Structure formats: structure tokens, C-alpha cells
């Protein structure tokens, strides 16, 4: 992970400690939840911000991950619009491999439907968003989310995260896993808004509160997140930086020495025999070189001339 330009840290939220912020409550209010039946499918009826005189109905259902043309067409529309790739880049096979096929065993016969699931959001029976989730014994892991860009004004990404947190609460699961947090990527830092979240230290494999990780990640793009290990890493880097600086100073001194040697080598000249002492003096003065700095060969030639001087 330290070799990538954008180090990724696993992030999770402990459900029992979560309290929605004012902005998050505003998102929920915007969709104005009316009822949530006590079922695993978690169907609900909500008021859309585009509601006409007759209320729009938004239903949310949970099902085992499966392929459908309806899901694939929505996925392709989302990818082409958001990631600006040509539609032919996306095939039914790639969609199935990415968001349907899973190594997890689906077991919907239990009270908790473990496995890879699709949470479907329908507005007036039209599919407008799909959340891909792995439901695990420890919590719900958010794998991917795509939506109809025509309904971007509904803040469906934020709303889906809140509904997935609600699903954790309904199922009695402890954690909501949000995938990866990338501190250097503004598009991924939104995950820190779901508080209090934790990051997985890549060195100790301990979960560290995000607010303690931020000062470390502001200094280093990749670092252990446990405080003592982060301090140790900083000390090592400081020492390495100091050593590198000393090395550079030595290299500069060596380069200066070589340059001086090269410069002094010029003072082993083959002066013409009739050169005057004044010319030699002017030459030395123009070069700003002392007699002791002249190479032995130069001194051997110049000393007899300088005696006359």
C-alpha cells in the first residue's frame, strides 16, 4: 500500500455510536420517510422532492444479488454519465462479474440474510438506484452504489448510506463497513462524515478512531495509524532525511573539491618561453589563485620566473 499514490485505509462505523449530523438529517427529511414496515425487505414510502400533487412513492427492497436487464441498463447509464466512458465498454458479463458473482454463501432462510445482496430503490415502480451489499456476521459492507443521474438532486448516495446504516440497526449488526477511505482524494473523504468512524491500521491491524488518524495522514500519505507506531515512523523518516541531507552536503563538498582540482590543473600551463612576469602576475590575479594553490607542475615552471619578479 505504501507504493501507491493514493493509500487506501479500510473504514468502518460502529452503529451504536452513530448520530446523524444536521446535513444528514436534512437528507432524510428531504425524502420525508412516511413508513418503514418491520420486514427484512425494509420497504418504505417517502415523499420525493419532485412530488406533484399526488405523492411520489419510493420503495426500498432487499434481494439476493442477481442479474437483470433493468439493473444493467441503470448501471451502464450511471457509468457513462459519471465516468464518461463509452457505453460499449460495459457488458452484461462484466456487470455480472463485478456486482453479482460473489464468493459469499447466500443464506436468506435465516433472520439475517447473509451473503451478497442488492438493495433496490424504486420511485413509482421505476428503478432509480441499486446498492450492492455484503451482509456479514459482524456487519454490513457497502460494496458499490449506482443510481439514475436524472435523480441526482435527491442525494441518493448519502441517502443510501443512511439507509444501509439503518439496515444494520434493523438486523442488529455491530458495524457498517464503508470500503476504503482515501485521505488524499476529496471524492472519497466524504466517508469521514459518518461519525465516529475508525480506520484499520495497516501495521498493527487495529481499528483507530478517525479523528486521531487525520493529523497523521495530514503529515504522511502512508503511515501506521497507531500513535506510537506513527511516532516511530516519523522519527525514522526524520533520521533518514537528516542522513540524506548530510550525504548531499558531502556530495556537494566533493563536487566542489573536484571542481577546484580541475580548475587548479589549468595552472600547469605551457607558457611561452618569452612570457613576462607581469603577464604571469595578471594571469594569477585574474584567476584569483595563490601560488600555493598552483599544481606542482605549474610551480616547477613558474618558480624560476617568479624569482625574477
Amino acid at each position: 500500500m505504501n507504493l501507491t499514490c493514493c493509500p487506501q485505509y479500510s473504514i468502518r462505523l460502529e452503529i451504536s455510536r452513530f448520530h446523524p449530523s444536521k446535513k444528514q438529517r436534512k437528507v432524510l427529511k428531504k425524502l420525508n420517510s412516511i413508513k418503514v414496515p418491520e420486514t427484512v425487505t425494509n420497504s418504505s414510502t417517502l415523499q420525493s422532492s419532485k412530488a406533484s400533487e399526488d405523492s411520489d412513492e419510493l420503495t426500498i427492497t432487499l434481494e439476493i444479488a442477481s442479474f437483470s436487464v433493468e439493473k444493467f441498463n441503470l448501471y451502464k447509464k450511471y457509468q457513462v454519465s459519471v465516468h464518461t466512458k463509452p457505453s460499449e465498454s460495459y457488458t452484461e458479463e462484466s456487470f455480472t462479474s463485478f456486482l453479482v458473482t460473489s464468493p459469499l454463501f447466500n443464506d436468506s432462510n435465516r433472520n439475517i440474510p447473509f451473503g451478497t445482496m442488492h438493495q433496490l430503490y424504486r420511485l413509482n415502480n421505476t428503478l432509480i438506484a441499486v446498492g450492492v451489499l455484503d451482509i456479514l456476521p459482524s456487519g454490513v459492507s457497502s460494496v458499490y452504489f449506482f443510481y439514475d443521474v436524472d435523480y441526482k438532486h435527491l442525494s441518493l448516495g448519502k441517502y443510501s448510506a443512511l439507509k444501509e446504516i439503518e439496515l444494520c440497526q434493523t438486523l442488529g449488526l455491530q458495524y457498517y463497513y464503508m470500503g476504503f477511505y482515501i485521505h488524499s482524494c476529496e471524492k472519497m473523504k466524504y466517508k469521514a462524515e459518518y461519525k465516529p468512524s475508525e480506520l484499520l491500521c495497516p501495521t498493527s491491524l487495529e481499528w483507530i478512531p478517525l479523528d486521531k488518524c487525520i493529523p497523521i495522514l495530514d503529515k504522511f500519505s502512508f503511515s501506521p495509524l497507531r500513535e506510537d507506531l506513527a511516532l516511530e515512523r516519523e522519527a525514522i523518516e526524520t533520521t533518514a532525511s537528516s542522513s540524506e541531507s548530510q550525504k548531499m552536503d558531502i556530495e556537494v563538498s566533493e563536487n566542489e573539491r573536484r571542481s577546484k582540482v580541475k580548475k587548479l590543473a589549468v595552472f600547469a600551463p605551457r607558457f611561452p618561453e618569452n612570457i613576462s612576469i607581469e603577464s604571469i602576475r595578471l594571469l594569477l590575479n585574474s584567476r584569483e589563485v595563490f601560488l600555493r594553490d598552483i599544481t606542482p607542475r605549474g610551480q616547477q615552471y613558474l618558480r624560476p620566473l617568479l624569482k625574477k619578479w
Side-chain angles (χ1 to χ4, degrees):
M1 188 168 75
N2 61 325
L3 298 179
T4 179
C5 63
C6 303
Q8 305 170 355
Y9 298 87
S10 295
I11 182 171
R12 76 178 184 184
L13 170 70
E14 187 172 356
I15 298 302
S16 63
R17 300 174 62 202
F18 173 69
H19 297 285
S21 65
K22 183 177 180 180
K23 288 183 179 180
Q24 290 162 350
R25 291 195 300 270
K26 187 176 179 180
V27 170
L28 290 172
K29 185 177 180 180
K30 185 177 182 179
L31 290 161
N32 192 17
S33 179
I34 296 176
K35 62 179 180 178
V36 182
E38 295 180 359
T39 62
V40 170
T41 55
N42 196 29
S43 297
S44 61
T45 304
L46 303 104
Q47 184 75 25
S48 164
S49 63
K50 291 179 67 178
S52 58
E53 293 181 1
D54 297 323
S55 294
D56 289 336
E57 185 179 78
L58 177 64
T59 58
I60 306 173
T61 58
L62 189 68
E63 65 179 36
I64 293 175
S66 62
F67 173 86
S68 74
V69 174
E70 184 183 32
K71 294 177 188 176
F72 173 66
N73 288 338
L74 178 60
Y75 168 77
K76 185 162 62 172
K77 179 180 179 179
Y78 170 81
Q79 294 290 350
V80 170
S81 176
V82 174
H83 299 294
T84 63
K85 289 186 178 181
S87 59
E88 55 268 22
S89 301
Y90 305 99
T91 64
E92 294 182 0
E93 292 75 16
S94 63
F95 170 80
T96 301
S97 175
F98 180 32
L99 298 176
V100 178
T101 304
S102 170
L104 299 182
F105 174 72
N106 286 100
D107 187 358
S108 57
N109 295 322
R110 300 186 180 187
N111 292 332
I112 298 178
F114 293 125
T116 301
M117 313 293 286
H118 285 174
Q119 187 151 273
L120 311 182
Y121 299 76
R122 294 183 183 276
L123 182 62
N124 300 330
N125 295 321
T126 299
L127 184 68
I128 63 168
V130 177
V132 183
L133 311 173
D134 285 340
I135 300 182
L136 311 168
S138 61
V140 171
S141 175
S142 180
V143 177
Y144 201 73
F145 181 77
F146 57 96
Y147 61 90
D148 190 331
V149 293
D150 293 338
Y151 296 91
K152 186 177 181 179
H153 63 283
L154 293 179
S155 302
L156 290 169
K158 295 178 180 178
Y159 178 69
S160 68
L162 294 169
K163 297 306 290 184
E164 289 165 7
I165 292 171
E166 184 180 298
L167 177 62
C168 289
Q169 295 170 331
T170 301
L171 298 177
L173 298 174
Q174 187 175 5
Y175 296 107
Y176 175 50
Y177 298 95
M178 295 175 278
F180 293 111
Y181 173 81
I182 303 176
H183 190 64
S184 59
C185 177
E186 291 299 324
K187 290 183 178 180
M188 299 295 285
K189 290 173 72 172
Y190 75 91
K191 297 179 180 182
E193 297 174 4
Y194 300 89
K195 302 177 180 180
S197 51
E198 304 170 305
L199 299 185
L200 183 65
C201 175
T203 304
S204 67
L205 300 182
E206 298 173 78
W207 290 95
I208 311 297
L210 179 61
D211 57 355
K212 292 185 177 181
C213 299
I214 297 299
I216 297 173
L217 296 177
D218 284 340
K219 287 184 179 180
F220 308 106
S221 61
F222 173 77
S223 172
L225 300 177
R226 203 176 76 188
E227 188 174 9
D228 59 327
L229 296 176
L231 290 173
E232 182 180 329
R233 180 234 193 273
E234 184 175 7
I236 292 173
E237 177 149 317
T238 301
T239 302
S241 177
S242 177
S243 298
E244 183 65 23
S245 178
Q246 292 176 2
K247 180 180 177 182
M248 290 178 65
D249 290 342
I250 293 172
E251 288 178 350
V252 169
S253 298
E254 178 64 14
N255 289 337
E256 289 178 347
R257 187 190 69 79
R258 291 177 180 176
S259 175
K260 189 173 182 181
V261 169
K262 184 177 180 180
K263 180 179 178 181
L264 294 181
V266 174
F267 291 90
R270 295 181 179 177
F271 293 116
E273 293 183 3
N274 60 349
I275 187 170
S276 67
I277 294 177
E278 183 64 21
S279 295
I280 295 174
R281 184 182 68 79
L282 291 174
L283 177 63
L284 292 177
N285 287 339
S286 67
R287 301 285 182 127
E288 297 181 350
V289 175
F290 294 103
L291 178 61
R292 64 176 180 272
D293 294 323
I294 301 174
T295 58
R297 181 185 170 194
Q299 289 187 33
Q300 183 180 5
Y301 182 83
L302 291 176
R303 280 185 188 281
L305 297 176
L306 291 175
K307 283 182 181 178
K308 299 177 183 179
W309 188 13

